[in-house]
Amino acid sequence: MTLQAMVNEAASLHPERKAVWFDECNGRPPASYTYATVVKLAVELTAFLRKHCGHRGKCEIGLYCYPGVNLPSWILGILQVPAAYSPVDPDTPPILTTYFMKKCNLQYILVENDKINKFKMSHEGWFYHNSSIIEHLGLTLFQISWSNADKSSQLDNVKSKYEPFKAIGNLQPDNTVCPDQLEVKTSKVGYMDVGQKYSLAYVLHTSGTTGIPKIVRVPHKCIVPNIQHLKSIFDITKDDMLFLASPLTFDPSVVELFTALTSGASLLIVPNTIKMMPVKLSAALFHQHHVTVLQTTPTLLRRFGAHIIKSTVLSSNTSLRVLALGGEAFPVLNLLKSWKHKENKTSIFNLYGITEVSSWATCYKIPEEVFSADFRSDFPVPLGSPLLGTAVEVRDASGSAVVEGEGQIFIGGEERICFLDDEITVPLGTMRETGDFVRVQDTKMVFLGRKDNQIKRHGKRFNIEYLQQSVLGLLEDSTEISKDSVFLFSGGDSLKALRFYEEIEILVGRAVPGLLEVILSCSIEEVYTHIRKTLFPSEDQLMTCDNTIKRKLSEDSGEESCGKYVKLKSERYFEVASGLISFIAVSRGNRLFSMNSSKSFMQPNDMVQIGTELRQLPSFLHFLSPNARKSQEQEYEMEKSRSLAVIDKANITDTSATQPNYAECNPGTMARLTLCIRWKSNTRRCVDASPLVVIPFTDEVSASVYVGSHSHTVQAIDLDLGEIKWERNLGDRIESSACVSKCGNFIVVGCYDGLIYVLGSSDGKIHWTFVTEDAVKSSAVVDPSTGIVYVGSHDQHVYALDIYKKTCMWKIHCEGGAVFSSPCLSFSPHHLYVATLGGLLLAVNPATGNKTWKSSLGKPLFSSPHCNEKYVYVGCVDGNLYCFTHSGEKVWQFSTNGPVFSSPCISSLTKQEIFFGSHDCFIYCCNMEGNLLWKFEATSSVYGTPFVFQIDDLKNKILLAAVSTDGKVWILNAKSGTAEGVDKLPGEIFSSPVVWGTKLVVGCRNDYVYCLDLYATGKKNS
């Protein structure tokens, strides 16, 4: 029996029933196909593939797509070739997807038509391909011909990334697990052969969390018993609606797909972005589509939040019949009881399994009496009984079976066999080591944890559960943190990450190099693995900082790391539109950049930072077109007539206190300006990136705001009207702030998927992507004389990119520490300044990439450096603002009482002042000698970078816009530090404000970008 045979049988019984629904949750009716349509489209794809794919024996076809209404037809069409389908996630880092495709030696891959550019750009230059299109099915077939030399080098690159410690010896045997190490127990003579004709159903890869990702080839004989048994346990009928909760690369997705499609039931699919939006997702699942069966991880369930779980998912009148939780440790029973309404009838199951024996191995139904008020709260939830065809054994360290007591689980079965990596034959009855430990009591297995989940340090037991509890102590709103949770996406922020980092180093009694970067980017389990590998290196060779911090560096030559000119890729060129666009671009911290089509009025020899700042309105209105100038001059009066004042509700009195050397101000100071919302734009996830505002010198194009968010999208928004001009979905979250190219035709933005995207500024179309080896949170900076773009990455490199020639001019390794902040460009001297999370401030020659000098500050630098004619400034989490000469000598340091994540703001409007914020809740102003001029006490920590500006109605006043993390937007007098205005947004703010004219733009963690109008409310001070 095969999966496709089971689907075709169900389709013959229920041809007119709906097989699949796809709901984009955008207010439009969902798309749907009947079983007859799904089979018809699958037959067409099968015929197409048989015509174009030369398959003899074992055939595997890649599928590069997002889930949609066509997905069942695509998978069924591949299976009927017959071939195994190999899902490739467009959001997975290109280095891993390329490794997967090459390791599988995929000869063919189907690419969703609207993902073709992303596919080509993510894997540009790594293979040669020909393509055939099947238009009405929305797919293009690529035939791949791998270069042998390229294949081996890329496989080595992934091995170096995922096996960071191989070069310096293996870990101690007691602290490592090799799940792919076979434990063979042959009950009968015989083998299963991977080459057996038409035997394979699908090919996946493991995550690589604990080592090199493993390729797993799954035969129909292995997965079909899973589907059959779970259909029976869950009592699936044609009337059920199941939700595709899992990614296609996670093998439970196979269970979700085929449990529905082999039963005549319906399958609901939503876009991946909707899965990150609890309110929309719960409405789609339980109000619009009445899902009856939900198989998911505890993490996805928790993402709904306690309120939605109680009121909708597990309410008294929920549509949900079956909730099956697996893939992670089962939730604490007390927590589950608190979520479940006493009248709720949903059956809840605990599933356990490993990808190496796809998909589930055991199942346990939680008895109803467990949820009664008087049932004991410490009831341990067992893993349950083996599923059909599955053998489960518990063994002690000597390999003997455990009847009572603790031991490790081994999973297998006569035909429950998958092929790992290069395995060709596997003995029938093979048992796979899981690395998971259980306690056996009264024939029931209770999960204890992973083999490598606990270590001792200074007599203290230190395990992953300890890390989870530490995180809970830092995240006030969390009820539980799973090992797969990512710190920053579970309520954490940079400050809490720093506290977590310090707590761990105190506990283990030593520095853990690279730890902060791992906390900021990885799951709790990966944090734990990093600590364990640092504490327990090989006995033969101690780890050095370099090979602990960055796995990939062992591949690089010393010359390259020292700034050798490296030309990486330059296969195709694109023409820039004739003539430069004249514009002004404004970004955080008063970084202004302008280009005039005939002559730049910002000559490089006048610049000591990225575009020496132009004085804001009204002093350069003559650069604008007449209509644009008139619009700016008249705007203030129009705003006053259409705006409603939003006054600070506090009792406001002038309470500024004058000190001998500085003024200390607080939020009670009299407000002079009113702020009100002009527009807001919904990005659907947190906006931590800071906006880029671009103002063209033409009447034909309106000013634009460019900003990205955690929803994976970049929006271009009309500055005046708040209308979205375009929206582009990228591969992952976006925290990087955009920068504009020299010509004005493009914006450049980094992404968590490791790519640097070059997008058309007018339409958002992707013109080029450059691949780094880790997340890009750094914001790019452009050289206005050459057009070269400089940007950092969490892969610990800084790159110089020629976006017109699609070439990397050079890259340098920053000697340990991810580059989180933005580089700063100085023209006299010609330096590029780079700050790292390893605590280094580097000066680099922008032309060659050679390092000029470096200074170690000992603590992470999240702050972006900023410079003027004389000095370079940077904030540090040790609470100091540091000042250096351009030759690298430390001039002074100014101390605050909290970490400094804010970048220093320097403005030509206030030539002698430096502004920055601190987590001690103060906004500071000091002079070029490091003396405090004033400080203002906000109502919460200050993460963002302040912005200096002037508006017409208060011509004698230079103002400072700043934000605090509690959502307050402050307008201060830049000379005195007194409050001129304040407003509060309904969410935390980690973005930095940007002001143009009387408009202030800033991102907020309530998913919106806001534009606030500023106008005077009283008589201005003399």
Side-chain angles (χ1 to χ4, degrees):
M1 181 67 74
T2 62
L3 293 175
Q4 64 267 29
M6 295 168 69
V7 175
N8 282 316
E9 183 180 335
S12 67
L13 295 173
H14 313 286
E16 299 309 316
R17 290 193 68 84
K18 296 292 187 184
V20 57
W21 294 86
F22 178 64
D23 193 343
E24 296 187 73
C25 304
N26 57 4
R28 298 173 186 166
S32 65
Y33 286 161
T34 63
Y35 272 88
T37 303
V38 167
V39 170
K40 176 178 177 290
L41 294 175
V43 168
E44 292 180 29
L45 179 59
T46 300
F48 172 83
L49 293 173
R50 285 174 177 170
K51 178 181 177 182
H52 290 90
C53 298
H55 68 288
R56 290 182 295 277
K58 179 169 72 84
C59 181
E60 298 163 8
I61 297 174
L63 182 58
Y64 185 95
C65 69
Y66 286 149
V69 71
N70 286 304
L71 180 66
S73 300
W74 292 344
I75 290 176
L76 189 59
I78 294 172
L79 290 173
Q80 290 178 161
V81 170
Y85 74 93
S86 305
V88 180
D89 186 356
D91 291 338
T92 297
I95 191 171
L96 183 55
T97 57
T98 301
Y99 170 81
F100 172 60
M101 291 189 291
K102 290 180 177 177
K103 183 73 174 173
C104 294
N105 198 25
L106 280 184
Q107 302 302 307
Y108 301 96
I109 184 165
L110 286 165
V111 178
E112 192 174 358
N113 284 346
D114 63 1
K115 304 293 180 295
I116 288 175
N117 285 340
K118 181 182 178 75
F119 175 72
K120 286 181 177 178
M121 291 174 183
S122 297
H123 306 91
E124 186 179 20
W126 288 359
F127 54 78
Y128 305 101
H129 51 74
N130 299 311
S131 62
S132 304
I133 300 174
I134 178 165
E135 284 288 354
H136 68 285
L137 279 176
L139 292 172
T140 298
L141 177 69
F142 285 83
Q143 183 175 358
I144 305 169
S145 175
W146 299 106
S147 158
N148 287 334
D150 186 61
K151 179 176 177 180
S152 61
S153 68
Q154 289 300 326
L155 294 183
D156 288 344
N157 283 351
V158 173
K159 286 181 180 178
S160 70
K161 181 176 179 67
Y162 285 88
E163 249 188 352
F165 307 101
K166 189 173 184 180
I168 54 170
N170 294 323
L171 295 172
Q172 295 176 357
D174 290 341
N175 293 296
T176 187
V177 173
C178 295
D180 57 342
Q181 183 179 356
L182 287 188
E183 192 66 41
V184 178
K185 179 182 178 182
T186 310
S187 58
K188 288 183 181 179
V189 177
Y191 291 83
M192 187 171 283
D193 190 333
V194 73
Q196 184 180 344
K197 207 170 186 181
Y198 314 146
S199 67
L200 297 183
Y202 54 93
V203 184
L204 302 175
H205 62 80
T206 59
S207 65
T209 300
T210 57
I212 299 176
K214 291 187 292 294
I215 306 302
V216 183
R217 291 180 167 87
V218 184
H220 288 275
K221 285 184 178 180
C222 181
I223 187 61
V224 165
N226 243 211
I227 306 296
Q228 292 172 327
H229 199 177
L230 288 171
K231 282 169 57 177
S232 172
I233 292 172
F234 298 157
D235 194 21
I236 304 296
T237 72
K238 61 182 175 57
D239 298 317
D240 279 307
M241 173 76 76
L242 286 80
F243 175 53
L244 182 64
S246 305
L248 296 181
T249 52
F250 186 38
D251 55 332
S253 66
V254 181
V255 174
E256 293 156 7
L257 277 161
F258 290 97
T259 300
L261 298 177
T262 61
S263 305
S266 296
L267 181 73
L268 173 64
I269 302 175
V270 301
N272 290 335
T273 52
I274 299 299
K275 294 178 185 177
M276 306 295 291
M277 303 178 192
V279 175
K280 281 194 173 184
L281 182 61
S282 64
L285 265 58
F286 303 108
H287 297 314
Q288 274 95 44
H289 296 280
H290 308 291
V291 165
T292 59
V293 179
L294 176 61
Q295 174 195 265
T296 187
T297 61
T299 293
L300 183 61
L301 178 66
R302 274 191 292 268
R303 197 176 289 155
F304 283 116
H307 174 71
I308 291 177
I309 295 174
K310 291 176 185 177
S311 63
T312 305
V313 184
L314 295 175
S315 65
S316 59
N317 59 349
T318 181
S319 61
L320 194 63
R321 284 197 310 106
V322 172
L323 174 62
L325 299 175
E328 301 165 6
F330 196 80
V332 176
L333 205 54
N334 269 350
L335 185 65
L336 200 58
K337 286 169 71 172
S338 72
W339 289 340
K340 198 172 190 288
H341 192 279
K342 63 181 180 180
E343 301 297 329
N344 174 265
K345 302 301 182 185
T346 304
S347 297
I348 301 178
F349 295 84
N350 183 21
L351 296 172
Y352 170 77
I354 59 173
T355 301
E356 291 88 339
V357 186
S358 189
S359 170
W360 300 117
T362 65
C363 180
Y364 178 78
K365 183 178 180 181
I366 314 298
E368 276 302 313
E369 59 266 23
V370 165
F371 298 104
S372 62
D374 55 349
F375 196 85
R376 65 191 183 98
S377 60
D378 61 344
F379 174 74
V381 177
L383 295 185
S385 304
L387 291 170
L388 183 65
T390 307
V392 177
E393 295 180 2
V394 180
R395 302 179 190 171
D396 61 20
S398 65
S400 301
V402 174
V403 180
E404 289 280 325
E406 297 182 4
Q408 184 181 180
I409 305 178
F410 288 74
I411 299 175
E414 203 62 38
E415 292 186 329
R416 291 275 282 125
I417 290 171
C418 301
F419 300 91
L420 307 188
D421 287 336
D422 300 322
E423 290 177 352
I424 297 172
T425 60
V426 178
L428 297 177
T430 291
M431 304 294 287
R432 302 280 185 181
E433 180 183 9
T434 66
D436 292 326
F437 275 66
V438 295
R439 182 177 66 253
V440 182
Q441 187 174 356
D442 298 329
T443 72
K444 292 183 173 65
M445 296 179 295
V446 178
F447 184 73
L448 296 178
R450 299 247 346 134
K451 178 178 179 179
D452 53 358
N453 266 12
Q454 47 188 343
I455 57 178
K456 283 190 177 181
R457 183 75 179 172
H458 303 309
K460 298 178 183 177
R461 188 168 296 280
F462 183 62
N463 57 24
I464 197 166
E465 289 75 22
Y466 176 87
L467 285 189
Q468 289 169 291
Q469 293 306 313
S470 297
V471 174
L472 283 172
L474 291 167
L475 309 181
E476 299 167 2
D477 297 331
S478 297
T479 53
E480 190 175 350
I481 293 291
S482 78
K483 65 181 181 181
D484 297 317
S485 301
V486 177
F487 186 82
L488 283 188
F489 307 148
S490 303
D493 55 41
S494 301
L495 179 63
K496 291 173 182 175
L498 184 65
R499 290 174 181 162
F500 189 26
Y501 157 80
E502 290 171 343
E503 183 176 327
I504 290 170
E505 291 202 334
I506 291 170
L507 177 74
V508 301
R510 57 164 288 186
V512 183
L515 176 60
L516 187 58
E517 291 96 314
V518 178
I519 291 172
L520 289 167
S521 304
C522 303
S523 68
I524 302 301
E525 184 172 39
E526 289 169 302
V527 171
Y528 175 80
T529 301
H530 181 83
I531 297 165
R532 178 174 57 78
K533 288 180 176 179
T534 304
L535 296 181
F536 293 92
S538 162
E539 293 180 349
D540 301 326
Q541 210 172 352
L542 292 175
M543 280 187 204
T544 64
C545 273
D546 286 340
N547 53 35
T548 301
I549 292 173
K550 184 61 190 172
R551 292 78 64 110
K552 180 73 176 66
L553 293 180
S554 59
E555 301 289 324
D556 295 336
S557 67
E559 281 185 305
E560 181 176 319
S561 293
C562 293
K564 180 181 176 183
Y565 182 95
V566 182
K567 188 170 182 179
L568 296 183
K569 289 194 273 290
S570 182
E571 293 186 2
R572 296 195 307 271
Y573 293 71
F574 62 86
E575 295 295 324
V576 180
S578 58
L580 299 178
I581 297 173
S582 302
F583 65 88
I584 295 172
V586 193
S587 57
R588 63 179 179 179
N590 286 79
R591 294 174 186 254
L592 277 83
F593 171 60
S594 180
M595 195 60 63
N596 188 289
S597 59
S598 57
K599 177 177 181 291
S600 170
F601 57 82
M602 300 184 56
Q603 298 299 327
N605 59 358
D606 295 330
M607 289 189 288
V608 293
Q609 63 192 54
I610 232 347
T612 293
E613 183 193 345
L614 299 171
R615 185 178 178 88
Q616 281 216 324
L617 288 176
S619 59
F620 55 76
L621 282 175
H622 61 277
F623 289 116
L624 302 176
S625 67
N627 287 346
R629 181 168 64 247
K630 184 177 180 182
S631 171
Q632 289 286 347
E633 289 170 342
Q634 293 178 346
E635 184 176 289
Y636 169 67
E637 290 302 323
M638 294 167 60
E639 286 164 353
K640 281 200 297 187
S641 66
R642 67 169 179 254
S643 301
L644 295 175
V646 180
I647 308 296
D648 185 23
K649 295 179 174 62
N651 294 322
I652 300 174
T653 54
D654 191 344
T655 58
S656 60
T658 304
Q659 303 294 329
N661 296 316
Y662 67 90
E664 182 171 339
C665 313
N666 63 46
T669 308
M670 174 65 73
R672 310 293 186 195
L673 282 173
T674 295
L675 297 82
C676 66
I677 297 173
R678 182 187 185 94
W679 53 257
K680 62 180 181 178
S681 181
N682 186 2
T683 72
R684 301 181 296 283
R685 288 291 284 169
C686 298
V687 185
D688 285 342
S690 300
L692 166 72
V693 178
V694 177
I695 305 95
F697 295 164
T698 173
D699 296 329
E700 297 173 4
V701 182
S702 59
S704 299
V705 176
Y706 300 96
V707 68
S709 82
H710 285 202
S711 69
H712 305 192
T713 58
V714 176
Q715 288 185 349
I717 309 165
D718 188 293
L719 175 62
D720 288 322
L721 304 176
E723 296 174 351
I724 296 176
K725 296 183 175 183
W726 55 258
E727 186 174 70
R728 174 64 58 186
N729 194 62
L730 305 187
D732 208 329
R733 295 173 178 84
I734 304 158
E735 282 186 21
S736 166
S737 302
C739 86
V740 67
S741 64
K742 174 182 177 179
C743 64
N745 291 318
F746 306 106
I747 64 164
V748 182
V749 66
C751 183
Y752 268 52
D753 64 1
L755 299 185
I756 297 160
Y757 290 82
V758 181
L759 308 176
S761 56
S762 61
D763 55 16
K765 289 183 179 177
I766 298 175
H767 286 280
W768 184 44
T769 59
F770 179 79
V771 182
T772 76
E773 292 179 17
D774 210 333
V776 180
K777 304 178 188 179
S778 170
S779 303
V781 67
V782 66
D783 185 328
S785 58
T786 65
I788 299 298
V789 172
Y790 303 96
V791 64
S793 168
H794 264 54
D795 68 6
Q796 304 187 9
H797 288 79
V798 170
Y799 297 87
L801 305 178
D802 187 330
I803 64 171
Y804 304 107
K805 296 180 179 178
K806 292 189 174 181
T807 301
C808 178
M809 306 301 293
W810 54 255
K811 71 171 184 177
I812 59 163
H813 177 241
C814 294
E815 302 185 23
V819 182
F820 180 95
S821 61
S822 304
C824 173
L825 193 60
S826 163
F827 284 89
S828 180
H830 198 203
H831 284 169
L832 182 75
Y833 294 109
V834 180
T836 79
L837 295 187
L840 282 182
L841 178 63
L842 300 165
V844 177
N845 184 324
T848 65
N850 291 316
K851 295 168 189 171
T852 305
W853 57 262
K854 64 183 178 182
S855 180
S856 177
L857 300 180
K859 289 288 184 179
L861 301 174
F862 286 86
S863 169
S864 299
H866 213 160
C867 66
N868 58 16
E869 295 91 337
K870 295 176 68 174
Y871 300 126
V872 187
Y873 309 90
V874 68
C876 181
V877 300
D878 65 4
N880 290 304
L881 178 73
Y882 289 91
C883 172
F884 292 85
T885 66
H886 285 285
S887 57
E889 299 166 352
K890 191 172 86 169
V891 181
W892 50 259
Q893 67 187 65
F894 177 88
S895 297
T896 75
N897 293 316
V900 178
F901 292 91
S902 171
S903 302
C905 169
I906 308 169
S907 167
S908 63
L909 291 173
T910 57
K911 293 182 183 295
Q912 297 301 310
E913 286 87 17
I914 306 151
F915 306 92
F916 67 98
S918 170
H919 268 63
D920 65 4
C921 302
F922 280 92
I923 300 161
Y924 291 88
C925 173
C926 58
N927 62 19
M928 297 300 173
E929 288 71 48
N931 299 316
L932 179 65
L933 299 178
W934 56 259
K935 66 178 183 178
F936 176 88
E937 186 176 9
T939 49
S940 184
S941 301
V942 180
Y943 187 98
T945 300
F947 193 99
V948 178
F949 67 101
Q950 241 182 341
I951 58 175
D952 278 352
D953 260 35
L954 299 173
K955 289 181 182 176
N956 294 333
K957 284 188 179 179
I958 299 172
L959 301 172
L960 183 78
V963 293
S964 48
T965 55
D966 60 355
K968 290 281 185 69
V969 180
W970 306 94
I971 305 298
L972 308 180
N973 185 311
K975 290 296 183 182
S976 66
T978 54
E980 301 283 348
V982 64
D983 198 5
K984 189 176 189 308
L985 299 182
E988 293 182 311
I989 300 180
F990 284 75
S991 172
S992 298
V994 171
V995 180
W996 177 256
T998 57
K999 304 181 192 73
L1000 182 151
V1001 186
V1002 70
C1004 185
R1005 282 198 164 179
N1006 73 335
D1007 305 348
Y1008 284 84
V1009 182
Y1010 287 86
C1011 179
L1012 304 178
D1013 281 328
L1014 312 173
Y1015 61 94
T1017 56
K1019 198 171 181 178
K1020 59 180 180 289
N1021 268 343
S1022 58

